[in-house]
Amino acid sequence: MQIKKINQLKNEIENILSDNKAIEIRSINLKDKTSIADFMIVASGNSSRHIQALSEILLDALKKKGINNCRLEGRDSDDWKLIDAIDIIIHIFHPKKRKFYNLERMWSELIPKERLTIWKKKYFKYILTIVTIILLNISNKVYSQNVDKLYEKI
């Protein structure tokens, strides 16, 4: 799906959840973190019935939009549902389970590769300075040893 359509679908899903009284709707951009989806939407329902109703409403809305190959996980669960809408993953939790799994924190943090890139940018000049000092010390030591050998010959 095109980026513009994915963003439009994300907004529509958020609106459907909001219109149906979902709690704390959060979107997480996954584009540079994983290839499983472009966005993850996390929301909460007040009760098991509310969570079930939200998932069914979303599935119906997605099918009406022509997204027929959506999957629902957690059918037998009272406190969690997942809808895989191909480019967007929607989690609907009971508030206690949501707090326990804390997906927002896990997926919002930088992945190790990004941390390393930021670390390199931040500390590169310090590392370069230290390496330069070490090389200068080594070259001075070699130079002074050579000078000492020259004095010995004289």
Side-chain angles (χ1 to χ4, degrees):
M1 209 183 293
Q2 295 175 336
I3 294 171
K4 187 176 180 181
K5 286 185 178 182
I6 293 169
N7 283 325
Q8 182 180 357
L9 180 61
K10 177 186 75 80
N11 292 335
E12 290 174 16
I13 291 169
E14 290 170 338
N15 289 336
I16 291 167
L17 289 167
S18 179
D19 292 347
N20 289 281
K21 310 294 186 224
I23 306 165
E24 294 184 57
I25 303 161
R26 302 279 185 266
S27 292
I28 301 166
N29 187 335
L30 300 177
K31 287 178 188 163
D32 296 325
K33 296 177 183 174
T34 183
S35 60
I36 61 171
D38 290 321
F39 289 99
M40 178 183 294
I41 299 173
V42 183
S44 295
N46 293 319
S47 65
S48 59
R49 282 181 174 240
H50 188 214
I51 293 166
Q52 183 66 35
L54 288 169
S55 66
E56 289 173 4
I57 291 166
L58 274 176
L59 279 174
D60 289 342
L62 291 167
K63 285 179 184 174
K64 286 178 185 173
K65 291 222 128 296
I67 305 170
N68 296 318
N69 49 351
C70 290
R71 290 193 337 251
L72 174 65
E73 299 290 331
R75 283 189 197 279
D76 299 330
S77 174
D78 290 335
D79 48 12
W80 169 79
K81 305 287 183 209
L82 176 143
I83 298 170
D84 182 354
I86 313 307
D87 296 308
I88 301 172
I89 296 172
I90 305 111
H91 289 274
I92 306 169
F93 283 102
H94 186 278
K96 287 182 182 178
K97 284 288 183 183
R98 181 177 180 171
K99 186 176 179 180
F100 176 79
Y101 287 106
N102 203 358
L103 292 181
E104 292 99 326
R105 181 171 179 239
M106 180 173 65
W107 283 99
S108 295
E109 288 183 355
L110 296 175
I111 57 176
K113 181 181 173 185
E114 290 172 316
R115 285 185 186 152
L116 182 60
T117 302
I118 289 170
W119 187 87
K120 282 180 183 177
K121 286 179 183 177
K122 187 174 181 181
Y123 296 105
F124 181 75
K125 64 182 178 182
Y126 301 115
I127 293 169
L128 189 59
T129 303
I130 291 168
V131 168
T132 304
I133 290 168
I134 291 169
L135 289 173
L136 284 172
N137 283 336
I138 291 170
S139 66
N140 282 338
K141 194 173 188 178
V142 169
Y143 175 77
S144 76
Q145 286 173 352
N146 287 336
V147 168
D148 289 344
K149 285 181 184 177
L150 277 171
Y151 281 124
E152 286 175 6
K153 288 183 180 180
I154 296 179

